[in-house]
Amino acid sequence: MRVVSLMRLGDEETRLREQFPEVTFEFYKHPAELPKETQKEMDVLISYHSAVNAAFIEAAPNLKWIAWYATGVNSLPLDLLQKRGIKLTNGKGVHAQQLSEWLFAYILDDFKQLKAVYNEQKDRQFNGKRMSKTLDNATILFLGTGVIPQRAAQIAKVFGMRTIGLNTSGHSAPHFDETYRLADRQQWYQQADVVVNVLPETKETYHLLALDDFKAMDPETLFINIGRGTVVSTDVLVEALKEKIIRAAYLDVFEVEPLPADSPLYDLDNAYLTSHITGNGADNRVKATQIFKNNFAHFLNNKTLIENVVDLNKGY
Amino acid sequence: MRVVSLMRLGDEETRLREQFPEVTFEFYKHPAELPKETQKEMDVLISYHSAVNAAFIEAAPNLKWIAWYATGVNSLPLDLLQKRGIKLTNGKGVHAQQLSEWLFAYILDDFKQLKAVYNEQKDRQFNGKRMSKTLDNATILFLGTGVIPQRAAQIAKVFGMRTIGLNTSGHSAPHFDETYRLADRQQWYQQADVVVNVLPETKETYHLLALDDFKAMDPETLFINIGRGTVVSTDVLVEALKEKIIRAAYLDVFEVEPLPADSPLYDLDNAYLTSHITGNGADNRVKATQIFKNNFAHFLNNKTLIENVVDLNKGY
């Protein structure tokens, strides 16, 4: 049994070897360092590197399982994995805390007008009359009701917000006051002060949000995207913001990444942009390795995986 | 029975007159508009204006109750109220939500490095490697365990933080993992990533925090003051920040307010200043009037007050 990781895992490397002494573990700093012979023989792959494409999989005929350390699996050739019978797990849950913290950093930055406040500080102005909106009683609508939006909705509830979640079937989910079908989304937008996209990238979510979606929202809406940038085309997003169809947006993900320096998004005065960093966390690899260990113990015993298994048809 | 308010209360004025038709209510936009004769005769005063000083009270010989719409009562002549037997209630609880939201706006602004992040946006830089601290497992220590810190600690717990509260006797309080005596504070500071002052201004809390307090903290500590500015002298605070005895501070209250434009606090690169605005809220007057109504119904019946009664000896 050969397990290959396309990144170094620090102290976790020793722990893996101790816990599974009969297994050969190899850790490479970069996919380019992986010997062709090893690629041919490896049984299990740990990675979230974009180098893992169809050609890479073709050159790994013995591969049985990819332990993907990110949550989004859209860069992988899912059809090929399915054809080859290669299992796939992801890092779902590992990033829920970080993404939720960033989400509330964005919302509070907006609601408390922090940028205007600190401009006053630069001007040495004391403006005791400033009044800011409260999260209390505001409504937040999530596109998606999975592990990440559930964690975020839990925090939203404690702040006193009303939580609406949209998913394929409209099924209920923890920490959501109401859930509806994603297909009916345009009839619920008006209720929301904040609309958050947390959907994965799939065939169904690619360019899901059209200009009509933004037109169906309240003009005061704050839109936040911490899911995948491809849920809306840059053109639509720029028009919605430039024409003030909605009030403002905080965006961490983009249709094309890295975001080109000449992107029209940079020219807007109501778009706040971060660099796909809301999932970054110092202990992400430790947490993802814990999921790997739980799965690997079962995999060695009976070839089954118990956590974070990706449905290759759905893509999440 | 004459009730005088030194501010206009909007729709609440009609509601008060409807609920208590036998009572004379008078609403003035500013204390200067109050006729001397009315001041002499009024039984109850609604205000949180600094004009309500010893001379003002002396000129109101019939006054029996001040319904103070702010939480802090330090600007009032408490000794005189006690001597005259004038009851005092405050706005405790009205501001808990707003102050808690601001507290997490500050913490997330700091932990997520928002200022640095948006400087990158201005430079059209995409920096996908940025790593930020998480609130999860961080420790927050509150000076004070009253209504406001309890609400804030409730939110801290859902973010996954450990909560320590300090009060006079060390008694336990809701949403605090641990509580200790304020007098022993220097032995607990090292545990905290964030130290928050929410203490009222009293004889005991005036200049409570000395340079030794900041020296007892971890050098990475974030200090936040949303209580009263007089808990620490400006000189001590400037030294603690200038000499990097602690890492940074978010300050909404100051020893002298409004903060003078030549305050040395403006010259620091690790102090973020707001203008005593964390309690401002559009519905504060409605909430404070609800407390007034609850109390007033009892006051009319049997002269007792049931909510938010201030202990004139303690000053809160």
Side-chain angles (χ1 to χ4, degrees), chain A residues 97-98 101-102 112 117 121 124 127-128 130 132 134-136 151 158-159 261 267 271 273-275 280, chain B residues 97-98 101-102 112 117 121 124 127-128 130 132 134-136 151 158-159 258 261 267 271 273-275 280:
Chain A
Q97 176 72 21
Q98 272 286 27
E101 291 187 16
W102 273 97
K112 301 308 174 198
V117 163
Q121 177 181 353
R124 298 177 176 237
N127 172 16
R130 183 178 288 278
S132 67
T134 55
L135 275 61
D136 196 17
R151 176 73 178 113
V158 162
F159 271 115
D267 300 322
L273 315 177
T274 52
S275 309
N280 293 0
Chain B
Q97 175 73 22
Q98 271 285 25
E101 291 187 15
W102 273 98
K112 301 309 174 198
V117 163
Q121 177 182 352
R124 298 178 177 236
N127 172 16
R130 183 179 289 278
S132 67
T134 56
L135 274 61
D136 197 16
R151 177 72 178 113
V158 92
F159 271 115
D267 300 324
L273 315 177
T274 51
S275 309
N280 294 359

Side-chain angles (χ1 to χ4, degrees), chain A residues 241-271:
Chain A
L241 289 163
K242 200 172 188 172
E243 305 301 326
K244 314 283 193 239
I245 294 168
I246 59 167
R247 184 171 56 81
Y250 284 73
L251 308 169
D252 186 51
V253 289
F254 306 94
E255 197 177 13
V256 177
E257 292 180 13
L259 187 67
D262 63 353
S263 169
L265 287 168
Y266 281 122
D267 300 322
L268 299 168
D269 60 7
N270 54 350

